[in-house]
Amino acid sequence: MIKRNTQLLFALFALVFMSNVFVGKAEAGSLKDIPDKYAEEINYLINKSVVTGYPNGYFYPEKSVTREEAATMIGRALNLNGTERNTSFNDVDSSSYASGYIQSAVEKGIITGYGDGTFKPKNHITRGEMAFLISRAFNLTQISDIHYYDVERSGKRYEAINKVSTAGIAMGYPDGSYRPDQSITRAEFSLLVARGLNPDFKVEVQPQPIDSSVVSTAVLNVRTGPGISYDRIGQLTGGSIISIYKVVGNWAYMSYNDLKGYVHTDYLRENVRIVAIDAGHGDHDPGAQANGLVEKEINLDVALRTQRYLEKAGIKVVMTRTDDSFLKLNERIDYAVNRNADTFVSIHSNAFTPNAHGTETYYSTADLNPRAEASKMLATFIQERLVDALNTYDRGVKEGPFRVIEHNPLPSVLLELGFVTNDSDAAKLGSSFYRERAAKAIYLGIEDYYDWKY
Ligand SMILES: [Zn+2]
């Protein structure tokens, strides 16, 4: 068995070697499990001996990187002295394979240990720590206005994360988060090192908008720079909702569809309608289950349908989740608040004894007026529309101690579409016809609320 594997490995190496010679580029598949989308970068590093596979022919792309592995990869990437030797840390022995790279990286100021004199070589490196490591290793200095909603906008960690993002080396997630405390996989870390070494692999990191506004004049000029002397590159019509990335004096750099440029802030108004739609539960938390229905799925489906109605009406939507993922309750609130939502609607389905049925909507008076009054109005409008659309029993608008509405600074409601435990309600909750009706009703209730408020 061993002999055959060795032969296979030689064959694979030969293949890589040949392709290098004749094609000039390594092919994916030198190791058995390198994902296609990372193949170019990883093979680039394999060819430079910065990373290696395991003796069994696997790369294990999803394995978390330890701090000593990260130091070794960086050390090899930068051609640091890897000779095993004594280190500045009491938990990295001179006999450790990584000792040389760790010590070299310390001497170059690339890595630091902990206050207690340890390096914790076997700990997984986090995405936040990785940003420090990469930014120092590749001497990144440039800062831009990229930010992530889960990274505080000051301090050394923010700077490091900003630098790796500005350099086009590390990206956040599509939801606008960076997840600094998450560990990093071998595939991900390889990508970053490859981008640090070779600019061809870099990506353009999209800046995140800091705000939204509505155009409050009939026609608004868009210019290439922050002043009337700059060329006009387009025009916006009144009511257009724009995303703002930065403000320079009285000018805002904005985007509207594909149009990007500067507009004068005197012709913008606040009070953009941004609704946070929160599909209750998710992932390992299914919520109520009965009659073949799983609450998290109903909630998500209705939430996505509601999103479509709202967006069609020009209302911006912030979705706490768009797939079967899980967020803690306070994360749902933070997400909405950080994305400038002005209204929060949490969608749920109920469960109790088989006889219990109907639709109800909750609000909280925890923070009293004016939030409580707005919440109650929002609940009342949505409840009315929902009962009508679903033709369910009207259980009413109630005060409830749910965390997502009680500890929420936004006008917020939690609605229970119906009972999965009741035959009649369950039939509706399981039908796409009624889910669509529910979504439209929620959207109309939100419109009623905005009409009342503005
Ligand atoms: Zn629920």
Side-chain angles (χ1 to χ4, degrees):
M1 272 312 268
I2 289 167
K3 200 173 170 208
R4 245 189 76 200
N5 276 340
T6 313
Q7 279 172 348
L8 181 65
L9 221 60
F10 273 126
L12 286 167
F13 281 145
L15 205 68
V16 171
F17 178 70
M18 274 166 58
S19 64
N20 276 336
V21 170
F22 297 112
V23 186
K25 190 177 138 199
E27 299 290 333
S30 53
L31 293 165
K32 295 168 191 170
D33 57 348
I34 295 179
D36 277 350
K37 62 175 178 173
Y38 301 143
E40 238 187 296
E41 290 89 342
I42 293 175
N43 283 318
Y44 168 81
L45 295 180
I46 290 172
N47 288 339
K48 287 178 110 37
S49 302
V50 172
V51 293
T52 50
Y54 287 82
N56 63 358
Y58 286 91
F59 183 71
Y60 297 117
E62 297 305 322
K63 241 181 120 200
S64 293
V65 175
T66 62
R67 289 169 51 84
E68 64 180 357
E69 285 169 344
T72 303
M73 274 171 74
I74 290 292
R76 288 190 188 133
L78 301 181
N79 288 317
L80 302 183
N81 175 5
T83 312
E84 293 169 15
R85 59 190 190 277
N86 285 329
T87 73
S88 321
F89 304 109
N90 54 37
D91 59 348
V92 182
D93 199 77
S94 61
S95 65
S96 150
Y97 77 95
S99 62
Y101 288 121
I102 290 173
Q103 189 55 26
S104 293
V106 169
E107 286 160 12
K108 295 225 175 272
I110 295 171
I111 54 175
T112 51
Y114 295 92
D116 61 357
T118 61
F119 181 70
K120 303 195 196 322
K122 304 291 181 197
N123 277 14
H124 291 156
I125 189 166
T126 66
R127 287 171 52 81
E129 292 171 332
M130 169 277 286
F132 280 108
L133 189 60
I134 296 275
S135 62
R136 290 178 188 144
F138 296 106
N139 289 318
L140 306 178
T141 52
Q142 222 187 322
I143 295 269
S144 68
D145 49 9
I146 294 169
H147 64 265
Y148 301 99
Y149 74 77
D150 58 350
V151 179
E152 205 192 329
R153 283 196 220 178
S154 62
K156 288 213 159 77
R157 186 170 77 162
Y158 168 70
E159 274 179 31
I161 290 171
N162 188 304
K163 284 174 185 169
V164 293
S165 304
T166 303
I169 291 178
M171 279 191 299
Y173 291 84
D175 68 355
S177 66
Y178 181 81
R179 304 179 197 172
D181 298 321
Q182 189 170 292
S183 59
I184 185 162
T185 66
R186 282 167 57 80
E188 289 166 341
F189 197 77
S190 300
L191 278 191
L192 307 180
V193 175
R195 288 172 187 156
L197 286 173
N198 185 342
D200 289 348
F201 293 128
K202 285 187 178 180
V203 286
E204 196 191 329
V205 180
Q206 296 295 330
Q208 298 290 321
I210 54 169
D211 205 355
S212 305
S213 283
V214 182
V215 175
S216 61
T217 183
V219 178
L220 180 60
N221 291 325
V222 180
R223 299 184 181 275
T224 56
I228 51 167
S229 58
Y230 289 91
D231 287 346
R232 196 181 78 189
I233 47 171
Q235 290 187 315
L236 297 166
T237 52
S240 303
I241 298 173
I242 60 173
S243 299
I244 294 177
Y245 297 87
K246 62 178 170 186
V247 176
V248 184
N250 291 322
W251 293 81
Y253 181 72
M254 65 94 225
S255 76
Y256 179 78
N257 296 332
D258 289 338
L259 181 59
K260 285 182 180 157
Y262 287 85
V263 294
H264 200 286
T265 52
D266 279 1
Y267 306 105
L268 303 176
R269 67 173 161 84
E270 290 299 314
N271 286 337
V272 176
R273 302 180 299 175
I274 306 179
V275 183
I277 297 291
D278 173 48
H281 311 278
D283 195 21
H284 61 269
D285 170 20
Q289 296 181 79
N291 286 310
L293 297 173
V294 182
E295 187 194 343
K296 65 173 184 176
E297 290 169 9
I298 302 169
N299 301 345
L300 178 61
D301 189 29
V302 173
L304 290 169
R305 290 168 191 263
T306 306
Q307 178 189 19
R308 287 197 281 274
Y309 279 105
L310 289 164
E311 285 179 347
K312 225 186 282 174
I315 297 172
K316 247 188 101 169
V317 184
V318 168
M319 300 288 287
T320 56
R321 68 179 179 101
T322 54
D323 56 20
D324 186 21
S325 53
F326 178 80
L327 286 93
K328 291 182 197 145
L329 297 177
N330 60 318
E331 288 174 338
R332 294 172 193 256
I333 297 169
D334 291 347
Y335 185 81
V337 171
N338 290 335
R339 290 305 190 86
N340 301 316
D342 54 41
T343 308
F344 186 98
V345 177
S346 188
I347 300 175
H348 286 255
S349 309
N350 230 331
F352 197 56
T353 54
N355 287 335
H357 66 286
T359 301
E360 59 196 17
T361 305
Y362 288 89
Y363 68 101
S364 167
T365 54
D367 285 331
L368 298 176
N369 285 316
R371 193 200 74 110
E373 192 201 0
S375 298
K376 188 177 183 181
M377 292 307 291
L378 178 63
T380 306
F381 288 127
I382 293 178
Q383 173 71 9
E384 227 167 85
R385 293 280 189 176
L386 266 178
V387 168
D388 198 36
L390 295 176
N391 194 21
T392 42
Y393 173 64
D394 185 356
R395 299 174 65 91
V397 168
K398 304 170 177 180
E399 281 189 58
F402 300 102
R403 194 179 176 88
V404 284
I405 56 175
E406 196 175 38
H407 297 282
N408 198 324
L410 306 172
S412 47
V413 298
L414 183 147
L415 57 94
E416 300 278 5
L417 297 166
F419 285 77
V420 293
T421 39
N422 173 264
D423 288 348
S424 164
D425 279 9
K428 289 174 182 169
L429 292 172
S431 110
S432 50
F433 175 77
Y434 277 100
R435 288 180 183 185
E436 190 70 18
R437 285 183 70 92
K440 189 172 180 183
I442 296 166
Y443 148 67
L444 288 172
I446 292 168
E447 281 274 34
D448 296 341
Y449 164 78
Y450 277 129
D451 287 347
W452 165 81
K453 192 171 178 190
Y454 299 122

